[in-house]
């Protein structure tokens, strides 16, 4: 549905995107992650044909946005981070007007079902009286209204309570369930990515630093495996074998990381820790987290820091 290869883009002779790759297939919910200013919004502008690329290849729903931008935008539902509405209109009237821009004529039943899906009533309140959370739901409804094949959503659950977030999550999972549609999700809420996304891409400083299936990336990440150890008594935390580092402790539980070379046979390290006074009562393996993966990938490059300090 989306294929971007080695995308470069200049704005006013400044290179903003310096090598973006992004691959989204039908049925995917793809999490596009990165710090503020990394190039996420510019990438979206490029794939919608709102910014001309300098080099590289972009295909959206089988079309080049440089040549078929209008056609692409008719098949894509977009929710920007800051969504605006005609505040004097009611939700049904606004959605009916909006969908007609796509050449469609929704029925009253269509609009009622859509608003119910996002948790809004079909009452006659002006949109301007809506709370922030209600406007967020309205923005999701607007993106879904023209029955798109592809959704591009920027922070869709921002401002929602836990119940509202779960409802939007379920709606997006339903949207891709048949395998014919896809979602590109831009968010800083890593919990949303953990629950929704099967693929991610991490952008930093205009480049794609990492891309792939989320489960595979989490399994491969880091330099070692992490464990929680429940101990009989406080150990000598300075007396650790080579390849073991202490991360933190809380009560009787101590978190350690075993470097990749040593993690192939950690049982020998448990014996060595015991010999050094670590009276281990219980061992629990910790799954690698998306937060750790993200922070590892987007950590400042020391050479860039040194250069900036000069």
């Amino acid at each position: 549905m989306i294929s971007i290869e080695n995308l470069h883009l200049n704005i006013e002779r400044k290179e903003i995107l310096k090598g973006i790759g992004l691959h989204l297939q039908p049925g995917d919910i793809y999490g596009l992650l990165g710090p503020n200013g990394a190039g996420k919004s510019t990438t979206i502008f490029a794939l919608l044909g709102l910014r001309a690329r300098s080099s590289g290849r972009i295909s959206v729903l089988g079309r080049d946005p440089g040549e078929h931008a209008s056609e692409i935008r008719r098949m894509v539902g977009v929710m920007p981070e800051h969504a605006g509405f005609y505040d004097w209109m009611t939700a049904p009237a606004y959605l009916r007007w909006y969908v007609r821009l796509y050449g469609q004529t929704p029925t009253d039943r269509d609009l009622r079902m859509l608003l119910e899906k996002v948790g809004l009533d079909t009452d006659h309140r002006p949109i301007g009286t809506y709370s922030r959370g209600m406007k967020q739901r309205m923005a999701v409804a607007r993106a879904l209204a023209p029955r798109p094949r592809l959704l591009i959503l920027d922070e869709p659950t921002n401002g929602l309570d836990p119940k509202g977030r779960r409802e939007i999550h379920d709606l997006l999972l339903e949207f891709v369930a048949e395998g014919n549609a896809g979602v590109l999700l831009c968010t800083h809420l890593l919990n949303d990515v953990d629950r929704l996304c099967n693929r991610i891409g991490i952008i930093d400083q205009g480049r794609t630093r990492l891309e792939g299936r989320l489960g595979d990336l989490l399994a491969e990440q880091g330099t070692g495996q992490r464990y929680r150890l429940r101990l009989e008594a406080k150990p000598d935390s300075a007396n650790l074998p080579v390849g073991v580092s202490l991360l933190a402790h809380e009560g009787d539980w101590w978190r350690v990381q075993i470097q990749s070379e040593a993690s192939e046979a950690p049982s020998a390290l448990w014996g060595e820790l015991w010999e050094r006074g670590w009276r281990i009562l219980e061992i629990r393996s910790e799954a690698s987290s998306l937060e750790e993966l993200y922070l590892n990938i987007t950590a400042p490059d020391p050479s860039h820091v040194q250069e900036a300090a000069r």
Side-chain angles (χ1 to χ4, degrees):
M1 303 194 83
I2 299 177
S3 178
I4 299 179
E5 303 284 353
N6 197 27
L7 172 62
H8 290 248
L9 189 150
N10 297 337
I11 298 177
E12 296 180 355
R13 292 185 290 184
K14 180 179 180 180
E15 190 174 35
I16 305 299
L17 302 183
K18 309 169 185 178
I20 297 295
L22 194 160
H23 304 86
L24 187 155
Q25 300 296 325
D28 285 346
I29 300 182
Y30 186 113
L32 184 61
L33 308 176
N36 292 331
K40 302 186 297 298
S41 295
T42 305
T43 299
I44 291 172
F45 291 159
L47 64 87
L48 290 174
L50 299 174
R51 287 282 188 184
R53 64 186 181 271
S54 303
S55 63
R57 189 179 71 84
I58 308 176
S59 174
V60 181
L61 299 171
R63 297 160 178 81
D64 185 335
E67 300 175 2
H68 304 283
S70 296
E71 189 177 350
I72 287 171
R73 291 199 287 268
R74 285 186 175 273
M75 297 185 289
V76 177
V78 179
M79 176 184 171
E81 182 178 5
H82 303 291
F85 305 96
Y86 292 127
D87 286 347
W88 50 270
M89 297 181 77
T90 65
Y94 179 86
L95 291 178
R96 181 176 291 106
W97 166 81
Y98 183 78
V99 172
R100 284 175 175 167
L101 297 177
Y102 285 75
Q104 302 174 25
T105 304
T107 65
D108 291 343
R109 182 175 179 272
D110 292 334
L111 297 174
R112 184 177 65 254
M113 290 179 61
L114 176 57
L115 289 167
E116 288 174 354
K117 278 187 175 182
V118 299
L120 291 175
D121 296 325
T122 56
D123 58 22
H124 296 286
R125 293 176 55 188
I127 297 173
T129 66
Y130 283 6
S131 67
R132 178 185 177 190
M134 294 173 70
K135 287 184 176 180
Q136 197 76 355
R137 292 169 186 265
M138 184 65 188
V140 174
R142 181 174 63 184
L144 287 166
R147 301 174 186 253
R149 293 180 56 195
L150 174 66
L151 282 177
I152 299 177
L153 308 177
D154 196 345
E155 302 290 359
T157 63
N158 193 23
L160 296 181
D161 59 26
K163 180 176 180 291
R165 288 180 62 196
R166 175 57 62 92
E167 290 171 350
I168 298 303
H169 288 177
D170 292 344
L171 188 60
L172 297 180
L173 292 170
E174 178 186 340
F175 178 75
V176 301
E178 294 184 2
N180 300 318
V183 176
L184 180 61
L185 175 67
C186 296
T187 183
H188 291 104
L189 299 175
L190 299 185
N191 287 338
D192 284 6
V193 177
D194 257 331
R195 179 162 192 263
L196 292 172
C197 298
N198 63 315
R199 290 182 61 83
I200 66 166
I202 300 178
I203 294 177
D204 191 22
Q205 298 179 18
R207 295 182 173 89
T208 296
R209 302 296 185 180
L210 190 71
E211 188 193 28
R213 295 186 62 83
L214 179 56
D216 295 341
L217 295 175
L218 290 177
E220 297 168 0
Q221 77 138 328
T223 58
Q225 178 62 52
R226 297 186 176 194
Y227 294 88
R228 294 175 68 228
L229 311 178
R230 187 165 68 88
L231 305 181
E232 185 178 73
K234 183 178 179 180
D236 180 0
S237 58
N239 190 15
L240 292 170
V242 175
V244 179
S245 56
L246 178 63
L247 300 176
H249 78 92
E250 182 178 351
D252 296 337
W253 290 94
W254 297 70
R255 296 179 66 238
V256 298
Q257 177 167 302
I258 298 179
Q259 300 304 310
S260 54
E261 296 82 359
S263 65
E264 297 174 2
S267 57
L269 287 174
W270 306 144
E272 189 171 350
L273 280 170
W274 184 273
E275 293 295 329
R276 295 175 182 233
W278 287 61
R279 298 296 182 252
I280 301 173
L281 301 177
E282 188 176 351
I283 300 172
R284 294 184 183 178
S285 176
E286 285 191 347
S288 297
S289 75
L290 175 58
E291 181 179 19
E292 292 167 357
L293 175 64
Y294 176 83
L295 293 175
N296 287 339
I297 294 299
T298 58
D301 185 334
S303 63
H304 292 163
V305 173
Q306 292 174 4
E307 183 177 340
R310 291 175 185 169

